[in-house]
Amino acid sequence: MVVFFGPPGVGKGTVAIRLAKEFGCRTISSGDLLRENVKSGTDLGSQAKKFMDSGGLVPDQLVTRVVMAGLDKTDGCIFLDGFPRTIVQAEELAVYLKERNWELRVIDLEADDGFLMARLTNRLICRDCGAIYHRINLTPKKEGVCDVCGGGLYRRADDHPDVVATRLLVYHQQSSPLRDYYRKLGLMVTLRGDTLLNETLAAARKVLVNIP
Ligand code: AMP
């Protein structure tokens, strides 16, 4: 299993999806799983929604439950995006992996807050396939329409500037301590997330092919 870690907007999802395809693995995104629960009106979704709308973290117990249920359906060839985000989640994941004898590597992507704010507030996402665009740097061929599947593009409610500011603050306060946690375990490599997508992909690919 490879965890893609980093602040919101650094490109974890994009990199994970592209490389998972290349390496024949599946992607699980905790944010996507939570949004699916909100959309389909599950109990868990309605509990998670208020935290997501405000830019805060969903309580560990809820998000862990939804991610582990997703992982249960796989064989461990997984690129995980957005989980863990707290030490408690990382510890739960460690127990889960140990029980299954699955190996863990962490790719940590970093970028400055100013860059992330500009990227997130300009981000557009395909409603149908989740492909990600940028109003200025990565525009679709036809405005408002996904190049990949023809679906409609939308801006996530939590990509509005005030919510993005909260998400960045939450990352620094609650999630970034995980970098020390994984660094000490010798499981993590840090790469820049603010280079061209192809450069970030190449750097991450190099890490993945060198995993013993
Ligand atoms: P994302 O799509 O990764 O940006 O996540 C969107 C929102 O879902 C976050 O702002 C959180 O509210 C919630 N979320 C996603 N993953 C986690 C997690 N591992 N722990 C807590 N909350 C999460």
Side-chain angles (χ1 to χ4, degrees):
M1 170 184 295
V2 182
V3 162
F4 287 82
F5 182 77
V10 78
K12 304 183 291 289
T14 307
V15 174
I17 288 170
R18 302 238 184 166
L19 292 179
K21 250 190 207 149
E22 280 181 41
F23 286 81
C25 292
R26 281 182 51 195
T27 318
I28 290 186
S29 151
S30 51
D32 283 351
L33 290 177
L34 290 167
R35 279 184 289 278
E36 277 162 27
N37 273 273
V38 171
K39 206 169 155 190
S40 52
T42 66
D43 235 25
L44 191 144
S46 61
Q47 289 179 63
K49 188 176 184 310
K50 58 177 182 293
F51 299 100
M52 298 170 76
D53 287 348
S54 70
L57 292 184
V58 172
D60 290 326
Q61 198 199 344
L62 292 183
V63 69
T64 301
R65 199 190 326 150
V66 84
V67 170
M68 305 277 163
L71 290 175
D72 281 345
K73 296 180 197 142
T74 76
D75 62 359
C77 186
I78 283 295
F79 285 18
L80 192 51
D81 155 29
F83 184 95
R85 262 170 151 107
T86 65
I87 303 272
V88 171
Q89 293 174 21
E91 287 171 345
E92 297 262 358
L93 181 64
V95 171
Y96 184 94
L97 294 177
K98 197 161 176 215
E99 281 168 5
R100 285 159 185 78
N101 249 334
W102 292 354
E103 295 276 326
L104 174 67
R105 286 290 186 286
V106 180
I107 293 187
D108 168 45
L109 297 175
E110 63 179 2
D112 301 335
D113 282 4
F115 173 89
L116 297 167
M117 176 63 88
R119 187 185 259 177
L120 284 176
T121 52
N122 284 295
R123 179 163 77 167
L124 295 170
I125 301 172
C126 173
R127 246 176 235 297
D128 295 337
C129 74
I132 295 166
Y133 299 86
H134 185 278
R135 278 177 220 269
I136 300 153
N137 299 330
L138 190 62
T139 52
K141 289 193 187 90
K142 189 172 169 208
E143 200 184 322
V145 180
C146 177
D147 293 346
V148 181
C149 74
L153 304 184
Y154 77 106
R155 171 154 124 167
R156 259 170 56 176
D158 61 352
D159 281 346
H160 284 272
D162 48 344
V163 186
V164 170
T166 305
R167 290 164 66 202
L168 290 171
L169 197 71
V170 164
Y171 167 77
H172 290 298
Q173 291 176 344
Q174 299 184 50
S175 301
S176 67
L178 267 182
R179 301 175 84 198
D180 267 349
Y181 172 90
Y182 280 128
R183 200 173 286 127
K184 282 187 191 137
L185 291 172
L187 296 176
M188 189 178 84
V189 175
T190 297
L191 305 173
R192 294 298 308 176
D194 53 2
T195 56
L196 290 174
L197 175 59
N198 276 341
E199 290 175 23
T200 308
L201 285 172
R205 192 178 290 120
K206 213 161 148 190
V207 172
L208 296 175
V209 294
N210 285 321
I211 291 177

